[in-house]
Every structure is written in structure tokens, then in C-alpha cells.
Amino acid sequence: MASMRDIKGRITSTKKTKQITKAMQMVSAAKLNRAQANAQSFQPYTEKIREVVASIASSSTEVSHPMLEERPVKKTGYVVITSDRGLAGGYNASLIRSLLKTISERHKSPDEYGIIVIGRIGRDLFKKRNLPIIQEITGLADQPDFNDIKNLAKTTVEMFSDGVFDELYVWYNHFVSALTQEVTESKLLPLTNIAEGVTTTAYEYEPSEQAILERLLPQYAESLIFGALLDAKASEFGARMTAMSAATDNATALIDDLTLVYNRARQAAITQEITEIVGGAAALE
């Protein structure tokens, strides 16, 4: 059995850990509110671009663009959004597990796919498994700006246009609530279903519908990557807040248990001393 000194030391160290997890929980909660606001404020931008593109795509005029047309799939690209830091429960593990399972089912060789990874956790794991990483970016801010991933998003879309990839998917954790994050796979390119569920409005285009399409489609595809990143950031802070809350509760329960053990050990020591005193007094009589 551990000594009273050891038990008291564990209680002290657990209390310090509890202070850290409680502080991390509060910080994550504040960051979550900002991340949610960023994700919600960005949605109208992508929705308006989608509405305009859907209006052109569904018009009677014969306009076309490679990003709207399917082609034989020889190589698939996966944009994977993970975090740079841990202590977020199963946030990264569930996403990577689902992605690896999907890749093993869809592809027989690493030559059939490539990975564009955002976040150190995913980058390190994919490198450890020798998976084909085409692009990577780490060290993003907690509240990222589009300029932070502009080059990555642009080159990713260009790789589809240049035929490096024949289809692109983005994998991330969709924010449902602070307690729930859903692993989500969204088809990025080609945009074959862009007009589904969209109420289109009549527009007059200048200089032409084709010219507008040429400019807007790459921007729309890039905005989808950034929108997924903002959503993933909100999920990350929600997962970390929940994980730190659980860690704080576990620390509280452990402190209570250790305190009970300490009190029992102290009571046993006191009883032992009284017994020895009584026995010594009896021996002197």
C-alpha cells in the first residue's frame, strides 16, 4: 500500500492537472464561439457563388467547363483536414481511420490516389505509413484566413484542371455540436450536382456566361476547401472542449478517491499510535 506521503503527492499533482485541463476547456470554449461565427459568416459567400454557377449550368445556353463534367477516373485526390495538436479526444483518430478504410476499399495501389493534408497530426501519420502526400500545410492559426491556404487551394484545383487528378474529395469533421462531430466526405470536383437543391435566379452576365464560369468555378472550388477548414476548426475546438471537460471530471473523481484513501490511511495511523500508547501504558502497570 502506498504511503501517506505518496498519496498526498498524487493528490497535489492531480489538482495541478485539473487546473490545466479546466483552463484548456475554457480556452477551447472561447475559440469555439469564434470558429462557429467564422464558419457561419462564410456560408453566404459560397452559397451565392453556387447559385450563380448553378444558374449558368442549368441555362438553355450551351456553356461548359471541365470542372462540371465527369471523366474516367485514373487518379483520385483526397484533401484531408486534421489538427496540429492533440488532446482533442477522437477528433483525428476517427477521421483518419475512416479515410484509410475508404482508401483500402477503393484503391489497389498508391499510384491510384494522392493526399493533400492540412494539419501536423495527419501529415505525420501519413508519412509514417508511406502514403503518397502531394501537398501539405501545418501550423495554421486557430482562426485561419483564406490567405493561409490560398496557395494550397489554388494548386489543388489546378491539379484537377491539369489532369493530375480526375476527381477530388475533401475529408473533415463536420461540426454538429460541441459534443458531436461527424466524419464527412464531400466531393469537391467535378461539380456534377451543383444545381441540386439550389433555387436559381435570372441574371444578366457581362461579358458572357462562359467568361463568368471560367472565373467563378475555380473560386468556388477553392472556397469549398476553406469552408471545410472553418467547419473543421469549429469541430476541433468542440472536441477539445469536450475532452478537457471529461479530463477535468476524471481528475475530480480521482482526487475524491485519493482523499478517501488518504483519510483512511491517516485514521489507521492514528489508531495504530493509540494502540501502541495504550499497550505501552499497560505494560508499565
Side-chain angles (χ1 to χ4, degrees):
M1 182 176 178
S3 65
M4 292 176 58
R5 182 176 182 180
D6 293 336
I7 296 172
K8 193 171 183 179
R10 287 192 63 191
I11 292 175
T12 301
S13 63
T14 305
K15 285 182 177 179
K16 292 180 180 178
T17 302
K18 178 182 175 180
Q19 291 176 345
I20 295 172
T21 57
K22 183 65 175 179
M24 293 180 66
Q25 177 187 347
M26 296 174 66
V27 170
S28 296
K31 291 181 178 179
L32 171 60
N33 291 333
R34 288 188 60 191
Q36 280 185 274
N38 291 339
Q40 292 172 357
S41 63
F42 188 74
Q43 286 180 354
Y45 173 77
T46 54
E47 290 174 357
K48 177 54 72 173
I49 294 182
R50 182 181 181 186
E51 178 187 331
V52 173
V53 173
S55 176
I56 297 175
S58 60
S59 65
S60 58
T61 57
E62 294 184 1
V63 293
S64 62
H65 194 280
M67 291 185 181
L68 297 173
E69 301 170 357
E70 289 188 356
R71 60 196 187 210
V73 178
K74 298 178 181 178
K75 192 168 186 177
T76 303
Y78 295 96
V79 181
V80 186
I81 303 173
T82 63
S83 68
D84 286 306
R85 298 183 296 275
L87 299 177
Y91 174 83
N92 293 294
S94 57
L95 174 68
I96 294 174
R97 189 186 308 114
S98 299
L99 173 66
L100 294 179
K101 180 180 178 182
T102 300
I103 288 176
S104 65
E105 293 173 351
R106 291 180 181 174
H107 308 290
K108 298 179 180 179
S109 167
D111 297 332
E112 297 179 357
Y113 66 94
I115 297 175
I116 297 93
V117 60
I118 299 174
R120 182 184 59 82
I121 300 293
R123 190 275 309 274
D124 292 348
L125 188 141
F126 295 147
K127 281 189 173 181
K128 186 177 180 180
R129 290 175 173 260
N130 295 319
L131 299 182
I133 298 177
I134 308 300
Q135 289 192 96
E136 63 180 71
I137 185 171
T138 60
L140 289 177
D142 290 333
Q143 310 298 333
D145 186 80
F146 179 72
N147 288 330
D148 296 334
I149 64 161
K150 181 178 180 180
N151 291 334
L152 180 139
K154 182 179 179 181
T155 52
T156 299
V157 173
E158 286 176 349
M159 281 190 284
F160 176 84
S161 301
D162 296 339
V164 176
F165 296 124
D166 299 301
E167 61 179 359
L168 278 170
Y169 292 90
V170 58
W171 280 72
Y172 65 101
N173 280 295
H174 169 61
F175 179 82
V176 179
S177 68
L179 298 175
T180 307
Q181 300 83 37
E182 291 182 352
V183 175
T184 301
E185 179 192 49
S186 178
K187 191 170 185 179
L188 188 61
L189 290 170
L191 299 166
T192 54
N193 60 346
I194 193 170
E196 291 183 5
V198 178
T199 303
T200 58
T201 305
Y203 294 97
E204 292 185 4
Y205 299 99
E206 182 67 31
S208 66
E209 292 183 350
Q210 186 66 41
I212 298 297
L213 206 61
E214 293 285 345
R215 177 61 66 87
L216 279 187
L217 273 178
Q219 290 185 7
Y220 177 64
E222 293 170 13
S223 71
L224 291 179
I225 298 176
F226 184 59
L229 174 62
L230 295 179
D231 195 354
K233 280 294 183 181
S235 296
E236 177 186 345
F237 296 132
R240 183 167 289 114
M241 184 183 72
T242 302
M244 291 301 98
S245 175
T248 301
D249 293 341
N250 290 338
T252 301
L254 181 57
I255 291 170
D256 292 341
D257 292 341
L258 290 172
T259 301
L260 182 61
V261 172
Y262 177 80
N263 290 337
R264 286 176 177 174
R266 185 178 63 177
Q267 185 64 44
I270 294 172
T271 302
Q272 180 66 27
E273 290 179 1
I274 293 175
T275 302
E276 292 175 354
I277 292 172
V278 173
L284 293 175
E285 292 180 356

